[in-house]
Every structure is written in C-alpha cells, then in structure tokens.
Amino acid sequence: MDMSLHRFTELFAQLGLASDEASIRGFIKAHAPLAPDLALAEAPFWSASQAAFLREEIGRDAEWAEVVDRLSLALRGASHRAGRAAGPTGL
C-alpha cells in the first residue's frame, strides 16, 4: 500500500471517518473542490470536533500537520485529477 494512502487511512480513522481506500476516494470526490480561500477546518462538512482537531494540528504544526496539508491539497485539486487513477495516493 502506498504510504500516502496509509497516512490518509490513519487521519480518516482519527477523524472518525471510514478509512478504507474506497471511502477516502469517495470522500475527496464528494467534497472537492474546496474553495481556495477556505481554510480546511472551516469547510462545512466537518463536525465541530473534527474541525477543532484539524485547526489544532495545523496550528501547532503537530504530528498530523503534514497529512492534514495533503488532505487539503487533495480536496482543492481533486477536480484537476478527476479520472486519473492516482487519487489521494498520488500526493
């Protein structure tokens, strides 16, 4: 398994979301594209606790910050990769 996807699976599990490959791809497809001027944690699809976790991890540049940044990029750029097999593993 690609390490990028592996880290996404861990982040999604931490957020209380389904963390299998199909669910991750489906989540990104369902919620992309995210407006470039919207902070990831401010996206309307997060619960209050999920948003707080994302905000805290990015703010502290904590252990999850890198994979949270990659999720942000995936949600902002997924429309550009539509139809490509790379999906989140291509990050």
Side-chain angles (χ1 to χ4, degrees), residues 1-90:
M1 177 184 288
D2 183 291
M3 283 305 290
S4 297
L5 181 60
H6 180 66
R7 295 288 298 177
F8 268 1
T9 61
E10 294 169 357
L11 176 61
F12 274 61
Q14 182 71 21
L15 291 167
L17 301 170
S19 58
D20 60 280
E21 183 175 348
S23 295
I24 292 169
R25 290 180 191 275
F27 180 91
I28 292 170
K29 184 177 180 181
H31 297 294
L34 192 61
D37 60 336
L38 183 66
L40 177 64
E42 302 307 317
F45 46 82
W46 300 120
S47 70
S49 62
Q50 290 168 329
F53 172 79
L54 294 168
R55 217 176 282 111
E56 181 177 315
E57 294 303 302
I58 291 297
R60 296 187 311 148
D61 197 24
E63 92 179 76
W64 292 103
E66 182 181 337
V67 72
V68 170
D69 283 340
R70 288 199 324 263
L71 176 58
S72 180
L73 289 172
L75 285 165
R76 293 171 202 288
S79 63
H80 300 294
R81 290 190 304 270
R84 287 188 14 195
T89 62

